[in-house]
Amino acid sequence: MRRLLLALPAYNEERSLPALLERCIPVAAAFGAEGKAFKVIVVDDGSKDGTIAAANSFAGRLDVEVVPHVVNQGLGAAIRTCLLSALERATDDDAIATMDADNTHDPGLLPDMWRFLEEQKGDVVIASRYVRGGDEVGLTPLRKVLSRGASTLLTLTVPVKGARDYTCGFRVYRVTTLRKAVAAWGTNFVEEAGFTCMAEILLKLGRGGANVIEWPLILRYDLKEGASKMKIMRTISRYFAMAWRVRTGPAHRVT
């Protein structure tokens, strides 16, 4: 049976994770009706709250597995573990998805995104705020400027055909594409430690020839519990440095 493996990087998401996992239960049922399976992998990045207990409380209602980091290593390391853990458990006919664990992304989009990936023969489909039907709710003006500014910067310096939303972590990947990328880049596939890691992954896949497509997303930042963990000025400077490093570095074929 083919599966979609949803990998969630989580750090102190005790308040938000249960609401997200509740929304995943009907998604699992929808996949089951199509003869597919659905698995959630929660990569706990050294949380100091009850994130692990919150995930484990869904045992019996949802196929959930927790992969712990003993200490907090940052989003980049958590995403690396997400992708590698999912690849270890996936067959080439499966798909791997990532999204934020703070309940700002709608897992109900996953069946359509996987279907769209296959219909369009894509390698990665991004849930995008910037295509028709996409939007963002509850984001501060500064965060809006940062997100759109980062996408504009990357479009101008290291363009990826088919991509408008470079920073969103809600994506569905073709397993074979990720396997080739990891085989080519090794541990350097994800070098960025912070929020810029999602753009880094996309830029490397794009330079490697990946077919990137987008599906509309309404980002519900108003559903987020707790303050953002992003350091705005540090993130802006990292986007500039990362874009230059990827642009001047090697490109590895992934298709």
Side-chain angles (χ1 to χ4, degrees):
M1 180 182 291
R2 302 176 67 200
R3 291 191 303 176
L4 186 136
L5 296 92
L6 171 61
L8 302 172
Y11 177 63
N12 290 345
E13 296 292 358
E14 176 186 15
R15 295 168 61 187
S16 298
L17 185 61
L20 174 60
L21 295 180
E22 285 285 354
R23 297 170 79 187
C24 286
I25 292 174
V27 175
F31 277 123
E34 297 179 7
K36 300 175 181 176
F38 180 68
K39 179 180 180 66
V40 179
I41 301 169
V42 177
V43 174
D44 178 72
D45 191 30
S47 295
K48 296 178 175 62
D49 64 359
T51 296
I52 291 179
N56 287 333
S57 70
F58 280 79
R61 304 175 61 201
L62 195 63
D63 183 1
V64 181
E65 178 183 357
V66 176
V67 177
H69 285 176
V70 177
V71 297
N72 178 249
Q73 300 178 41
L75 180 60
I79 283 290
R80 186 188 306 114
T81 300
C82 278
L83 297 178
L84 294 178
S85 297
L87 284 172
E88 288 175 359
R89 293 155 178 77
T91 70
D92 285 352
D93 290 331
D94 295 335
I96 294 172
T98 58
M99 66 168 58
D100 294 348
D102 59 6
N103 198 33
T104 58
H105 297 154
D106 181 8
L109 299 179
L110 288 169
D112 286 335
M113 290 174 67
W114 190 6
R115 195 174 302 115
F116 188 58
L117 185 78
E118 295 186 321
E119 290 172 354
Q120 300 298 315
K121 295 180 171 51
D123 293 299
V124 54
V125 55
I126 305 166
S128 173
R129 296 159 286 179
Y130 307 143
V131 295
R132 185 174 183 180
D135 202 354
E136 47 197 5
V137 179
L139 209 63
T140 65
L142 183 58
R143 285 292 299 275
K144 283 187 178 182
V145 169
L146 173 62
S147 296
R148 292 182 182 273
S151 291
T152 299
L153 166 69
L154 298 175
T155 298
L156 292 173
T157 58
V158 198
V160 174
K161 183 179 180 181
R164 301 182 192 180
D165 197 332
Y166 285 73
T167 62
C168 183
F170 188 2
R171 300 171 185 169
V172 177
Y173 299 91
R174 189 175 297 278
V175 168
T176 52
T177 301
L178 282 180
R179 287 201 201 283
K180 290 177 183 177
V182 171
W185 285 94
T187 57
N188 289 332
F189 180 49
V190 185
E191 298 174 87
E192 290 291 307
F195 288 87
T196 48
C197 66
M198 297 311 304
E200 176 193 16
I201 291 168
L202 183 63
L203 296 186
K204 288 177 175 177
L205 292 178
R207 292 196 73 210
N211 179 21
V212 177
I213 54 180
E214 294 190 322
W215 187 264
L217 164 72
I218 298 177
L219 176 66
R220 293 297 306 274
Y221 212 72
D222 56 323
L223 298 179
K224 179 179 175 62
E225 295 278 357
S228 172
K229 304 176 183 73
M230 181 183 290
K231 303 295 188 294
I232 299 294
M233 296 310 297
R234 182 186 303 173
T235 301
I236 292 172
S237 65
R238 284 309 311 164
Y239 274 119
F240 280 97
M242 182 272 296
W244 176 256
R245 177 171 54 79
V246 173
R247 180 177 180 178
T248 58
H252 299 290
R253 297 299 299 179
V254 298
T255 56

